Amino acid sequence: MAVFQTLFTYDFMRLAFLAILIITPLFGILGTMVVSDKMAYFSDALGHSALCGMAVGVLFGVANTTVSLMIFGVLFALLLNLIRSKSPASTDTIISVLSSSCIAVGLIILSRNGNFSKYSSLLIGDVLSITKGEVIGLFLIFLATLVFWILCFNQLQAVSLHPVLAKSRGFRVAVIENLFTAVIALVVMLSIKWIGILIINALLILPPAASRNISENVREYHLFAVIFSVFSGLLGLVISYFANVATGPTIIVIAAVIFFATYIFGRNR
């Protein structure tokens, strides 16, 4: 009990706790479709492109860099989705080239005059720096994503399982895929500041992958993914606070431990 009293003594810890409760379920939900559609490489490239999005905002003098991140992220995600659908044979190579190019361009622009140190925190994130207004913004995104998921879940599942069959049933496959990638882009770009560019893809992939190891149906798959994601986030926040280490990497380490534990348990079962 004393531990929790210590944790919630400070405003920044209370805000970080709320942010984790909002971010992790989002990643758990969206990550299930990312894993099912084998989009891990896609989402990794999307996360790395954030440096270029930030750089574009700085280059054009955008006061709120979150806006430039969101716009660039959505456009980049739609471009990747177009490439993924048009040339499946060489998708990984093209995505790798685009991702590497975006990172390089971002580093060139942000490192001008030795200023990259101002943006280096983006690499590992800092959820303890989140403000009340940013938590409210995350909550609104959470509600919007939840509405999207409820309305489009059946279509997303159909497109994921068999795009041709889904198209024959009247589903607008391209529209659904583009909407999904746009939602992922928005969530990833809004969360990068607190999770970190280098590890944000892991939070999107590890909990659903762990859930897939032990789930026997779609309901369990989504439920366990959210549980693992939230548990990793909260425990990582607590451990990082008392160990005085970065929160984002701590969350990922816990999620990785859960993945390997479920992998071993799933194989034994």
Side-chain angles (χ1 to χ4, degrees), residues 41 80 83-97:
Y41 203 60
L80 291 182
I83 293 171
R84 195 167 65 96
S85 63
K86 296 297 183 181
S87 57
S90 58
T91 298
D92 56 344
T93 302
I94 297 173
I95 289 178
S96 178
V97 169

Side-chain angles (χ1 to χ4, degrees), residues 148-168:
F148 166 77
W149 197 256
I150 292 172
L151 294 177
C152 299
F153 178 76
N154 289 335
Q155 292 94 318
L156 287 169
Q157 287 293 327
V159 171
S160 175
L161 292 172
H162 203 301
V164 177
L165 181 61
K167 190 173 183 178
S168 69

Side-chain angles (χ1 to χ4, degrees), residues 54-78:
M54 177 71 72
V56 169
V58 171
L59 194 62
F60 288 96
V62 179
N64 189 347
T65 52
T66 302
V67 175
S68 65
L69 277 174
M70 292 171 61
I71 295 174
F72 182 86
V74 170
L75 293 176
F76 187 79
L78 293 176

